Structures are given as structure tokens and as C-alpha cells.
Amino acid sequence: MQTIRIKTASSQDTEGARPGPGRDLTPLLAGAATAVGAIGAVLALVDSDSPLRGPFTLFFLLAAPAAAIAAALRGLEPFGRAIAAVAGAVVVNMLVTQGMLAVHQWSVRGGIVAVTAISALILLLVLVRRLRGRTTRRRTP
């Protein structure tokens, strides 16, 4: 008598090529979040009377610094990174607001520009750190 065994695919093979409608959802959601944030920043900068201005701008003010901080915290677990990134985004927004109020220069446009600049600076520093880490690893055998 002969035993016939059915060979199953390993979990690594099936993880990379998941069938179904949700297989490429992460890039789509990231693109949608980027679009919503950018629209919110533009609506706030042009002083639009759109009803979407408030929610989209609030999303931008939370998502832009949170994404930058999350990129800097690559080593943490995903849930911990999300909590730290959102908390850091709130801190960045509060520091920008407090600084602008302290010098009596508060404006919505100025706040949007300041948060954008700080988020871009954090992302730039993360990029420089990653590139510097790659070049030092390549030089050492």
C-alpha cells in the first residue's frame, strides 16, 4: 500500500502572493491618505469655504508629522510605533501653536507651513540617516 501525500505550499510562498481583493490595499490606502492630507493643506492655504476644509486639514495636521515620526521609529513594533507617532504629531502641533502664540504671530497658514516644514525636516533627517548607514556598511568589509 502506498501513501500519497499532498504537498502544501509554505507560509512564505502564500504570504507574498495572497489571492483576493485585499492583496494590494496598503499602497492604495497610503495614496488616498496622502491625497486627503494634501487636499486639506491646499484648502487651508487658499482659505477655501469648502465644508471639507476642516476635517481634511485636521487629518493633514495629524498625519504629516505622524508619518514622519513613524518613519524615524522603524525599530519599534507596529502598534507602539503608531501610538508614539500620533503622540509625537500632537506634540509637534502643540509646540508650533505655542511658539506662534508666544511671538504673537498666529495664523492658520503659518501653522500649516510650519508643520509641513517640520515634518519635511524630520523625513529629510531620516533619509540622510538611512543613506549614511548604507554607505558606512558598504565601506566596511
Side-chain angles (χ1 to χ4, degrees):
M1 184 183 248
Q2 185 177 9
T3 305
I4 300 174
R5 296 186 183 192
I6 299 173
K7 196 174 191 181
T8 60
S10 67
S11 63
Q12 293 176 347
D13 295 338
T14 58
E15 188 176 308
R18 294 182 307 185
R23 64 179 178 262
D24 291 330
L25 199 57
T26 304
L28 179 67
L29 290 175
T34 303
V36 167
I39 290 170
V42 169
L43 286 175
L45 289 174
V46 299
D47 200 25
S48 174
D49 289 333
S50 172
L52 296 176
R53 175 184 167 193
F56 282 13
T57 303
L58 180 62
F59 180 79
F60 172 77
L61 287 173
L62 286 175
I69 293 170
L73 299 175
R74 253 191 339 173
L76 291 179
E77 295 289 325
F79 184 69
R81 184 182 348 172
I83 296 296
V86 171
V90 170
V91 168
V92 166
N93 287 318
M94 292 173 90
L95 287 173
V96 166
T97 304
Q98 188 174 12
M100 291 179 76
L101 287 174
V103 296
H104 302 289
Q105 295 296 321
W106 169 250
S107 71
V108 174
R109 289 181 182 153
I112 296 289
V113 169
V115 169
T116 304
I118 291 171
S119 300
L121 180 65
I122 293 171
L123 280 173
L124 182 66
L125 291 174
V126 169
L127 181 65
V128 166
R129 185 180 70 182
R130 286 184 187 170
L131 289 176
R132 184 173 288 169
R134 287 182 184 172
T135 57
T136 57
R137 277 186 253 150
R138 287 182 187 165
R139 289 181 186 168
T140 57

